[in-house]
Amino acid sequence: MESSNAYHNLHGESSKGFIGLGAENHHVPRDEVNKQLSQRTESFARDGSDEVKPSKKKGEKKIRKPRFAFQTRSQVDILDDGYRWRKYGQKAVKNNKFPRSYYRCTYQGCNVKKQVQRLTKDEAIVVTTYEGMHTHQIEKPTDNFEHILSQMQIYTPF
DNA sequence: CGACTTTGACCGGCGC
DNA sequence: GCGCCGGTCAAAGTCG
């Protein structure tokens, strides 16, 4: 409904949640996460693939699907951005020994997709690709990181 | 008990 | 027309 508003939302949310609080990840020690915070080198790139379907329905929806990828230097695959994600698939990619994970936002009416991929050459680099925009606020408990993340002003060019 | 992960199978598009 | 490929679904299983 609020498609135009949603885009504004995207901008607002972008500056809110980003680097995951891998602290809850028992797979990686906290120290690593802390290091990631100071060593993080994120790069965002907007993909030009707005329309996934060239021509399906006639006057359906000409809403372009925003898709941006983040390159984060982290040892954790799961970058919690403050939303709840449900993994719905995991496939191996050619030219890559590491599999790609597919996540989906588990919110009513929120069909935001996200996929995480690791680089073959650099295992330390995790590429997170977001597809779509959230139509709700972040559903995360006390996020101390939010304050820190608020300092990160990411602007989505369009 | 509820939410989420896992894994194999399935599907639609595309190339040959 | 068939095989390949990337992406998604769905049932079972796991965890808190």
Side-chain angles (χ1 to χ4, degrees):
Chain A
M1 307 308 186
E2 303 113 82
S3 42
S4 51
N5 204 3
Y7 209 90
H8 270 261
N9 224 349
L10 176 67
H11 178 210
E13 290 174 348
S14 295
S15 47
K16 264 184 177 175
F18 254 98
I19 305 304
L21 310 313
E24 56 192 282
N25 239 9
H26 41 65
H27 288 126
V28 181
R30 307 289 166 82
D31 292 344
E32 288 298 327
V33 179
N34 198 3
K35 183 173 80 173
Q36 152 199 350
L37 189 63
S38 42
Q39 286 265 312
R40 65 161 180 262
T41 49
E42 324 91 2
S43 313
F44 73 97
R46 198 169 49 77
D47 209 301
S49 320
D50 309 314
E51 278 181 67
V52 183
K53 298 169 185 269
S55 56
K56 191 70 190 275
K57 297 281 167 133
K58 34 210 154 177
E60 180 97 357
K61 273 182 186 163
K62 21 190 98 175
I63 303 181
R64 297 174 181 177
K65 199 174 268 186
R67 195 160 108 185
F68 38 105
F70 294 93
Q71 234 177 81
T72 313
R73 189 157 191 272
S74 169
Q75 307 242 323
V76 203
D77 293 12
I78 306 181
L79 264 50
D80 199 339
D81 48 7
Y83 294 98
R84 194 158 270 163
W85 301 97
R86 156 188 149 256
K87 180 187 276 187
Y88 67 89
Q90 182 173 309
K91 264 301 230 344
V93 194
K94 262 175 62 159
N95 271 259
N96 212 337
K97 337 183 320 196
F98 302 104
R100 176 188 283 159
S101 304
Y102 298 92
Y103 295 90
R104 217 171 188 178
C105 186
T106 61
Y107 190 91
Q108 182 203 335
C110 191
N111 301 334
V112 180
K113 287 187 281 186
K114 149 184 153 187
Q115 51 192 243
V116 180
Q117 182 180 7
R118 225 177 250 247
L119 295 189
T120 312
K121 201 89 200 273
D122 289 294
E123 186 196 324
I125 303 294
V126 177
V127 182
T128 309
T129 310
Y130 287 87
E131 193 174 327
M133 39 193 133
H134 295 284
T135 60
H136 62 99
Q137 295 298 331
I138 297 182
E139 209 189 306
K140 246 260 156 130
T142 48
D143 244 332
N144 199 11
F145 270 57
E146 196 176 320
H147 185 229
I148 306 178
L149 292 167
S150 66
Q151 298 179 65
M152 302 166 44
Q153 295 174 358
I154 286 88
Y155 173 68
T156 26
F158 192 80

